[in-house]
Amino acid sequence: MPAAKKHPTTPDGRYFVVSGRLWRTSNPALAPDERQALVDQLMTARRQVGAAKKSGDADADRSARAAVDTAKRALGERGPVWWTDGAPDLNRRMAANTPYGQWYADLP
């Protein structure tokens, strides 16, 4: 199940909240097949991170983490924001300490 379905999503759809922290959602303008291909790449890279950690291979770990970063940037979850209204990126900030604070406080 996508994170946005399990966790509250901000009214503008830019973030979902986990343990009170904002996490940027993927770019909704991505075509479904493109998004799925990028998610597949991300999951493969995450498995490679785990395998590299388990084997203690520092070079493989760096390479796998770079692949995770590349996929997350392509999804719009890192790097330049995908929205165009000039609003700042609040990724990884505590929701209560952002302009979403009242919205978050009002959640059941």
Side-chain angles (χ1 to χ4, degrees):
M1 175 179 285
K5 299 294 182 195
K6 292 188 338 187
H7 303 286
T9 301
T10 58
D12 57 16
R14 293 176 181 167
Y15 305 94
F16 62 95
V17 182
V18 178
S19 300
R21 192 170 300 277
L22 297 172
W23 295 94
R24 197 186 316 168
T25 61
S26 358
N27 184 345
L30 292 172
D33 57 336
E34 179 183 9
R35 182 184 184 288
Q36 188 58 56
L38 291 168
V39 168
D40 292 347
Q41 290 173 20
L42 176 60
M43 294 300 104
T44 296
R46 284 181 170 164
R47 284 190 296 276
Q48 290 170 341
V49 167
K53 286 175 69 173
K54 188 174 181 179
S55 73
D57 185 339
D59 289 335
D61 184 59
R62 275 190 295 281
S63 177
R65 288 179 187 278
V68 167
D69 188 62
T70 297
K72 288 185 86 53
R73 286 175 180 278
L75 283 163
E77 296 174 11
R78 290 186 184 160
V81 297
W82 45 260
W83 52 89
T84 59
D85 64 1
D89 185 11
L90 303 172
N91 197 34
R92 299 184 182 184
R93 296 210 170 73
M94 296 304 292
N97 301 328
T98 71
Y100 299 104
Q102 189 60 57
W103 165 82
Y104 184 67
D106 291 342
L107 290 175

